[in-house]
Amino acid sequence: MLGLMQDWPLLCHRIIDHAAIYHADRPVISRSIEGPIHRTTYADIRRRALKVAQRLDRDGISLGDRVATLAWNTWRHMECWYGILGIGAIYHTVNPRLFPEQIAWIVNHAQDRVMMTDLTFVPLLEKIADKLPSVERYVILTDKAHMPATTLKYAVAYEDWIGEVDGDFAWRSFDENTAAGMCYTSGTTGNPKGVLYSHRSNVLHAFMASLPDSKGISSRDVVLPVVPFFHANGWSLAFSTPLTGAALVLPGAKLDGASIYELLDQHKVTFTAAVPTVWLMLLQDLEKTGGKLPHLKRVVIGGSACPRAMTQAFQDKYGVEVIHAWGMTEMSPLGSLCTMKPEYASLSGDARLDIQVKQGHPPFGVEMKITDDNGKDLPWDGKTFGRLKVRGPAVARAYYKDDSRILDADGFFDTGDVATMDKHGYMQVTDRSKDVIKSGGEWISSIDLENLAVGHPKVAEAAVIGVRHPKWDERPLLIVVLKKDQRATKDEILGFMQDKIAKWWMPDDVAFVDDIPHTATGKILKTELRERFKEYKLPVAATA
Ligand code: AMP
């Protein structure tokens, strides 16, 4: 027997309808690419998104067509998303930090028909435009006054383009399983893989992401998504913020510490989210200027492991609660968040930080398990490492135009991460399976060592890689970037780590470098470090 409830497809544009009706005047404040701060509301974003939909429709874009956005977080980018979604076309966020050849490869693979882009990326696109035959026209997210002279095909200023229609348009209706968005994983090896979200997965994920033990945002919050919309589905913030009716502050192109601080302070932001490298810049800026964060209540930190020292700095110096989160593009992207269950809520000081270095527990809608290489479940004792596998309505079951099977017999997706689970269901990532250091048949977590090293007051950033060793196969090498104008010796750094880890985990050597390479999504680029240190000779005597 079927239930007798209404059929109300879970379509993404219903989220902006909701915000426009029930939170109509909530501010959406952006740092524009042209410079000044721009103010609008959810009601106006919806009104203009309808124009985007109508204009795309007039250009013959329809159900299933891909429309690329190569853009920073601004109100215009958000209007584009909802306009694209509202006719059943697919927003395809392209990460501008990729190499131009990778961008061309991705756009060709997706066969994007329209490219919507910020002024910032016009020169980049001009260089590769002849390699993008599927793109029929370029919409530059600006107005007539700022429109540059460009060689891009049928280039038009966004404001002129939507100005050609009146907005008297109704969203299209279709099945909730229709494709909605697309985001390619920035794989460090091989070609990128396309993850294809559906309307249903995005809407369910936005609910999951907003729960009190997830991001817990409400209409009383002011949310600053520093994480770009082009990184892993923008961590759902373009959906979960209007869904909850929170106010929005969008950072545009300026993500440096001082610019982010200005937005946090002037617009009384209560909630923000980004990768650790962004917060490193903000904390360094605050140290320099003596700035305070009186309005900010919570910061979500994920994308790579949040160092213990970072959590401590936010919480102890600035009174901001850190929520460590883990996820991946294939998961829409949230997989777990480290909020405190009653079992841990009363902990304080180091005991609390011991929990907060974990990536946390999954919201409803994410199932997790850890297994050995043969797929056998491993115990949840907080110690045993295994392959982390996930299942749920917002987890990918296949990649775009790719026949390879990515699920196991029970429908779980292997994340490629190695993790422990504790008895209360808190997951901790030990490593990417390809980054874990295999020493004498045992595993050493590079993440744990990196976390510890950045706790040293002189260390700005640290990376640990396995280096060939004649006896133990691999031993850890600690690579360190010191804070500006600081000096330190190997013994000083290793001395700080002593007694905090098992003796055999201690790095065999420390290499001081000026910079550590990052991927297009801000993760440490271990493949390049391994290449750079390929010939590195460890001081053998230390562990022989
Ligand atoms: P992406 O799809 O680019 O977001 O990358 C996903 C990968 O980032 C995951 O599989 C993890 O290896 C890594 N990752 C994300 N969040 C965290 C975290 N909080 N701690 C450690 N690794 C993380």
Side-chain angles (χ1 to χ4, degrees):
M1 190 187 295
L2 294 178
L4 288 173
M5 308 313 280
Q6 296 180 8
D7 187 17
W8 195 84
L10 301 177
L11 298 175
C12 296
H13 38 285
R14 291 202 141 131
I15 294 177
I16 201 67
D17 286 348
H18 172 83
I21 298 168
Y22 302 105
H23 306 277
D25 297 328
R26 198 81 62 233
V28 176
I29 299 167
S30 309
R31 192 190 290 286
S32 69
I33 308 305
E34 295 85 354
I37 293 292
H38 174 274
R39 288 171 181 275
T40 182
T41 61
Y42 284 131
D44 224 38
I45 289 207
R46 176 179 182 274
R47 195 178 58 75
R48 285 163 46 98
L50 276 165
K51 289 189 165 199
V52 173
Q54 188 179 14
R55 193 64 191 76
L56 284 170
D57 183 65
R58 187 193 276 189
D59 277 354
I61 305 296
S62 63
L63 201 71
D65 283 334
R66 275 78 63 204
V67 177
T69 65
L70 186 69
W72 301 108
N73 296 5
T74 66
W75 81 104
R76 288 188 180 121
H77 195 172
M78 211 162 148
E79 290 164 4
C80 290
W81 269 34
Y82 281 104
I84 296 164
L85 286 160
I87 54 165
I90 300 165
Y91 66 85
H92 170 204
T93 49
V94 182
N95 185 342
R97 295 180 183 138
L98 294 170
F99 292 119
E101 306 80 62
Q102 278 175 310
I103 294 180
W105 190 93
I106 285 173
V107 170
N108 280 312
H109 192 261
Q111 289 287 290
D112 297 321
R113 289 187 60 191
V114 178
M115 169 69 72
M116 298 176 144
T117 189
D118 276 330
L119 287 167
T120 326
F121 308 118
V122 169
L124 164 73
L125 285 169
E126 282 174 342
K127 279 197 202 106
I128 57 170
D130 61 339
K131 301 194 186 81
L132 310 178
S134 68
V135 177
E136 294 160 27
R137 96 166 311 167
Y138 291 82
V139 179
I140 318 297
L141 301 174
T142 191
D143 54 17
K144 195 198 275 324
H146 294 89
M147 184 67 183
T150 172
T151 55
L152 291 174
K153 198 163 40 177
Y154 300 120
V156 59
Y158 174 78
E159 296 295 338
D160 287 350
W161 183 68
I162 60 169
E164 288 170 16
V165 289
D166 58 9
D168 184 13
F169 190 77
W171 302 130
R172 301 281 180 246
S173 198
F174 35 80
D175 189 282
E176 65 182 19
N177 287 301
T178 302
M182 185 180 240
C183 187
Y184 281 73
T185 58
S186 49
T188 46
T189 51
N191 283 325
K193 300 189 196 82
V195 178
L196 191 55
Y197 310 109
S198 68
H199 281 259
R200 174 187 154 84
S201 70
N202 268 345
V203 173
L204 288 176
H205 181 264
F207 279 124
M208 283 153 55
S210 312
L211 290 169
D213 265 316
S214 295
K215 290 184 283 192
I217 44 180
S218 77
S219 58
R220 292 165 298 286
D221 277 305
V222 180
V223 174
L224 170 67
V226 182
V227 55
F229 291 165
F230 55 74
H231 180 190
N233 212 16
W235 298 8
S236 178
L237 287 160
F239 298 123
S240 44
T241 312
L243 179 135
T244 52
L248 254 180
V249 180
L250 297 168
K254 291 196 174 165
L255 305 183
D256 61 284
S259 304
I260 294 300
Y261 177 72
E262 198 178 284
L263 294 180
L264 290 170
D265 191 54
Q266 291 188 357
H267 305 293
K268 300 190 169 46
V269 170
T270 61
F271 176 99
T272 182
V275 295
T277 37
V278 164
W279 302 127
L280 196 67
M281 292 192 287
L282 176 75
L283 290 172
Q284 282 176 358
D285 183 73
L286 292 177
E287 252 178 62
K288 208 169 65 199
T289 60
K292 296 272 174 283
L293 300 169
H295 312 291
L296 190 61
K297 295 199 187 93
R298 277 160 301 140
V299 53
V300 169
I301 306 182
S304 34
C306 173
R308 187 185 184 98
M310 184 171 279
T311 305
Q312 211 168 5
F314 267 115
Q315 294 183 166
D316 296 354
K317 278 198 198 155
Y318 302 103
V320 177
E321 184 192 348
V322 168
I323 304 175
H324 191 186
W326 168 87
M328 34 188 341
T329 307
E330 287 89 335
M331 300 183 72
S332 301
L334 290 176
S336 65
L337 296 104
C338 196
T339 54
M340 292 294 158
K341 293 190 190 180
E343 290 84 351
Y344 291 139
S346 59
L347 295 177
S348 60
D350 274 339
R352 192 177 179 88
L353 288 170
D354 287 345
I355 302 304
Q356 291 188 292
V357 293
K358 297 178 189 241
Q359 281 73 4
H361 54 99
F364 173 72
V366 176
E367 290 178 74
M368 260 181 198
K369 65 176 178 180
I370 48 170
T371 75
D372 65 14
D373 287 345
N374 301 318
K376 192 172 140 278
D377 279 6
L378 293 172
W380 290 19
D381 57 12
K383 289 198 280 283
T384 311
F385 311 158
R387 287 171 172 277
L388 178 63
K389 297 183 180 168
V390 291
R391 187 166 74 171
V395 179
R397 65 178 155 84
Y399 292 109
Y400 183 59
K401 288 198 219 155
D402 185 332
D403 294 337
S404 39
R405 277 179 63 91
I406 61 168
L407 305 185
D408 70 12
D410 299 320
F412 278 81
F413 169 73
D414 188 335
T415 63
D417 286 337
V418 174
T420 61
M421 298 288 301
D422 78 7
K423 62 180 182 206
H424 298 306
Y426 281 64
M427 181 275 288
Q428 182 164 14
V429 177
T430 311
D431 244 319
R432 285 297 291 166
S433 52
K434 53 189 185 314
D435 293 339
V436 77
I437 296 157
K438 295 171 188 96
S439 174
E442 299 285 346
W443 285 3
I444 298 175
S445 158
S446 64
I447 293 185
D448 279 6
L449 296 179
E450 287 158 7
N451 257 331
L452 188 55
V454 290
H456 190 289
K458 292 183 181 171
V459 173
E461 202 178 7
V464 174
I465 55 169
V467 174
R468 287 263 136 251
H469 187 281
K471 180 167 175 193
W472 304 108
D473 286 339
E474 271 185 351
R475 289 292 305 159
L477 167 69
L478 172 62
I479 301 163
V480 164
V481 180
L482 291 173
K483 286 188 185 159
K484 203 160 177 278
D485 303 327
Q486 294 288 351
R487 295 190 178 286
T489 61
K490 164 182 166 179
D491 290 345
E492 207 177 329
I493 306 286
L494 294 184
F496 170 82
M497 297 171 76
Q498 215 156 24
D499 303 328
K500 299 187 178 96
I501 40 167
K503 250 202 185 117
W504 63 276
W505 278 41
M506 190 59 86
D508 283 29
D509 207 356
V510 182
F512 293 95
V513 295
D514 291 337
D515 72 314
I516 284 177
H518 292 101
T519 67
T521 49
K523 296 183 217 307
I524 294 175
L525 191 52
K526 296 246 168 126
T527 41
E528 190 177 318
L529 282 179
R530 279 195 281 266
E531 187 58 30
R532 227 196 258 179
F533 287 91
K534 203 166 53 184
E535 308 296 335
Y536 200 82
K537 292 272 173 295
L538 290 167
V540 174
T543 43

